Amino acid sequence: MVTTVSVAQVGALVGDPARVAMLQALMDGRALTASELAQAAGITRQTASGHLAQLAAASLVTVSKQGRHRYHRLAGPEVARLLESLMLLASDATAQRPRTGPRDARLRLARTCYDHMAGWLGVQLADALVARNWVEIAEDGALVTEAGLDRLADLGLDAVVGGRAKLQCRPCLDWSERRPHLAGRLGAALCTHSLQRGWVRRQPGSRALDVTPAGWRAFHDLFDIRPPAAS
Amino acid sequence: MVTTVSVAQVGALVGDPARVAMLQALMDGRALTASELAQAAGITRQTASGHLAQLAAASLVTVSKQGRHRYHRLAGPEVARLLESLMLLASDATAQRPRTGPRDARLRLARTCYDHMAGWLGVQLADALVARNWVEIAEDGALVTEAGLDRLADLGLDAVVGGRAKLQCRPCLDWSERRPHLAGRLGAALCTHSLQRGWVRRQPGSRALDVTPAGWRAFHDLFDIRPPAAS
DNA sequence: TGGATGCTTCGGCACTCACCGAAGCATCCG
DNA sequence: CGGATGCTTCGGTGAGTGCCGAAGCATCCA
């Protein structure tokens, strides 16, 4: 079978811990240099260089030269979807051994998932939007309601409701919470909006997000979300 | 990072040609024995047995003993999604080399994609449903319209419209056509319906589907779909 | 009970590939 | 121009693992 070979090749690329670590580091959607990715994966620059060459050859990442730097980023949402699928199944396999490190705790609270927010916060937001009847979530998809379009426009998320399309949102099963959070264009808009307003802040060198005091206030006022009891 | 290891382990599982071939053979949703899977992958039984043990340990497939047979099937839709993601990226990588074998041609025309129909036929059906305004398809999801719910009920797809939920359908990017076809519960219902009515028939030992003369008549009468000019 | 079938385990071989040290390019800066 | 920085290529080593032949276990059938 012809296609089988290629599929296995892509699979082999995501079958190496170092390469996966680099891809995970790129899951926040930003572009990173080879050195940064080498550090993220815990390997030397020359090894990382070889891995990145393979990933680029398979079109999993794209590179753009700027001076003596070479910036790498995920090739597109399909790659992020692939990683999501992998993480979902990986957490399945390790579900019986609940390992919770201090680093994991921050990731579990809030993190980016390519272009949207995931973790406890992401799930809480999804629940709140469903409770307010702004969106509907089912097994096979998610939908922005008429009321939701109006209220989101009130919030200043105009870019999202440009065409008043109902299908601007997609459920994405959270690998730590095992419940859906919001992805798609609405998820991405919520994420950038929260970053712009200073509600959440990226933690350097990680996909984890810090929720600022202003963020907790906003999430409480808008969506009745309070910080979890104890972490 | 703890999770990274597990993710890479899952990735490594889908990074072997033999294992991927077996998983692809299971993509039609049926349960196959170890011997059948060994033949599908072109390896000996004992090698296949080892691979299947690994896949089962990682919860990618489930096994059920029946007498001296051991039936293997995909552990769930998440695994099918993972394979879809892989195939999509794999076809990206090989898009520059259009290889079209005689075996590929049949797969391209119509095939199963876990529980729904894909290939040229799958895309045609999706287009027809969109053209009739039974479903809406956007980048982030798909939606059954009110009219669609009525018309599908007329067709006898009652199971689908049981709750008259609009979100019973999901777009799935076709790796051969590069355009969306219908998945989700509606996609699955269309597939089983077509099989029950004898519109399509499974080809033994393959995911390819044969369209019967009655099928062409039905697809033409219902959706104005004619056989493609030449394959 | 004896033989056939389906499948797994064991042992050894061969191959792939991730890894790093060292050297080689390309780019920026003083 | 010369030094510094970012990155890549090359060579050799070592660990991991896919593969099959042979033997062992479990199940069904006569």
Side-chain angles (χ1 to χ4, degrees):
Chain A
M1 237 189 262
V2 174
T3 63
T4 300
V5 179
S6 316
V7 172
Q9 283 170 350
V10 177
L13 287 176
V14 293
D16 181 80
R19 277 192 293 261
V20 169
M22 290 192 286
L23 289 173
Q24 295 227 40
L26 291 171
M27 272 288 279
D28 60 2
R30 287 185 296 187
L32 299 178
T33 65
S35 299
E36 289 169 319
L37 289 170
Q39 189 184 3
I43 53 179
T44 60
R45 295 175 196 79
Q46 57 267 32
T47 304
S49 179
H51 285 313
L52 289 170
Q54 293 180 61
L55 292 173
S59 301
L60 293 192
V61 303
T62 59
V63 292
S64 58
K65 301 184 54 166
Q66 283 189 15
R68 54 181 164 182
H69 296 275
R70 304 190 69 152
Y71 287 99
H72 303 258
R73 65 174 59 210
L74 291 191
E78 316 88 54
V79 183
R81 300 262 193 111
L82 170 61
L83 291 170
E84 285 173 19
S85 300
L86 279 174
M87 290 191 292
L88 191 60
L89 291 171
S91 63
D92 254 350
T94 60
Q96 293 110 0
R97 328 176 171 177
R99 319 181 164 215
T100 51
R103 187 181 186 78
D104 279 355
R106 306 180 78 175
L107 274 178
R108 262 181 240 283
L109 179 67
R111 65 177 178 276
T112 52
C113 180
Y114 192 53
D115 58 0
H116 56 276
M117 289 185 287
W120 179 87
L121 179 62
V123 171
Q124 291 295 313
L125 283 171
D127 285 349
L129 291 181
V130 169
R132 279 159 181 69
N133 205 30
W134 295 10
V135 301
E136 296 175 18
I137 295 182
E139 191 184 342
D140 290 330
L143 180 67
V144 186
T145 63
E146 289 288 339
L149 288 171
D150 294 335
R151 304 294 302 142
L152 288 169
D154 293 344
L155 276 182
L157 290 164
D158 300 283
V160 189
V161 292
R164 289 191 71 81
K166 298 175 189 169
L167 290 170
Q168 301 205 343
C169 121
R170 176 173 71 83
C172 174
L173 198 50
D174 197 285
W175 62 261
S176 59
E177 298 282 323
R178 312 282 307 159
R179 297 190 42 224
H181 58 245
L182 288 179
R185 289 177 60 182
L186 173 57
L190 278 173
C191 182
T192 57
H193 190 260
S194 300
L195 283 167
Q196 283 172 2
R197 298 287 171 106
W199 294 347
V200 296
R201 228 191 304 268
R202 291 184 192 274
Q203 289 181 13
S206 165
R207 293 172 47 211
L209 289 173
D210 263 334
V211 182
T212 64
W216 285 124
R217 270 196 306 278
F219 290 137
H220 177 258
D221 293 344
L222 291 172
F223 303 116
D224 204 29
I225 296 174
R226 294 167 185 278
S231 60
Chain B
M1 235 189 266
V2 174
T3 62
T4 301
V5 179
S6 315
V7 172
Q9 283 170 349
V10 178
L13 287 176
V14 292
D16 180 80
R19 278 192 294 261
V20 169
M22 289 192 286
L23 289 173
Q24 295 226 38
L26 292 171
M27 272 286 281
D28 59 2
R30 287 183 297 185
L32 299 178
T33 65
S35 299
E36 289 170 320
L37 289 170
Q39 189 184 5
I43 54 180
T44 60
R45 296 176 196 78
Q46 59 266 31
T47 304
S49 178
H51 285 313
L52 289 170
Q54 294 181 61
L55 292 172
S59 300
L60 292 193
V61 304
T62 59
V63 292
S64 58
K65 300 184 55 167
Q66 283 189 16
R68 55 183 163 181
H69 296 275
R70 302 189 69 147
Y71 287 99
H72 302 257
R73 64 174 60 209
L74 291 191
E78 316 88 56
V79 183
R81 299 260 192 113
L82 170 61
L83 290 170
E84 285 174 19
S85 300
L86 278 174
M87 289 191 292
L88 190 60
L89 290 170
S91 64
D92 256 351
T94 58
Q96 294 109 359
R97 331 176 170 178
R99 320 180 164 216
T100 51
R103 186 180 187 80
D104 279 355
R106 306 180 79 173
L107 274 178
R108 261 181 241 283
L109 178 67
R111 65 177 177 275
T112 52
C113 181
Y114 192 53
D115 59 0
H116 55 274
M117 289 184 286
W120 178 88
L121 179 62
V123 172
Q124 291 295 313
L125 283 171
D127 285 349
L129 291 182
V130 169
R132 279 158 181 70
N133 205 32
W134 296 9
V135 302
E136 295 176 18
I137 296 183
E139 190 182 344
D140 289 329
L143 179 67
V144 185
T145 63
E146 289 288 340
L149 288 172
D150 294 334
R151 302 295 300 141
L152 288 169
D154 292 345
L155 276 183
L157 290 164
D158 300 284
V160 189
V161 293
R164 291 192 70 82
K166 297 175 188 169
L167 289 169
Q168 302 205 343
C169 118
R170 176 174 71 83
C172 173
L173 198 50
D174 198 285
W175 62 261
S176 59
E177 297 282 322
R178 312 282 306 157
R179 298 190 43 224
H181 57 246
L182 289 178
R185 289 176 59 182
L186 174 56
L190 278 173
C191 183
T192 57
H193 190 260
S194 299
L195 283 167
Q196 284 173 359
R197 298 289 171 105
W199 294 348
V200 297
R201 228 192 304 267
R202 291 183 191 275
Q203 289 180 13
S206 165
R207 292 172 49 211
L209 289 172
D210 262 336
V211 182
T212 64
W216 285 124
R217 269 197 306 278
F219 291 137
H220 177 259
D221 293 344
L222 291 172
F223 303 116
D224 205 27
I225 297 174
R226 295 166 185 278
S231 60

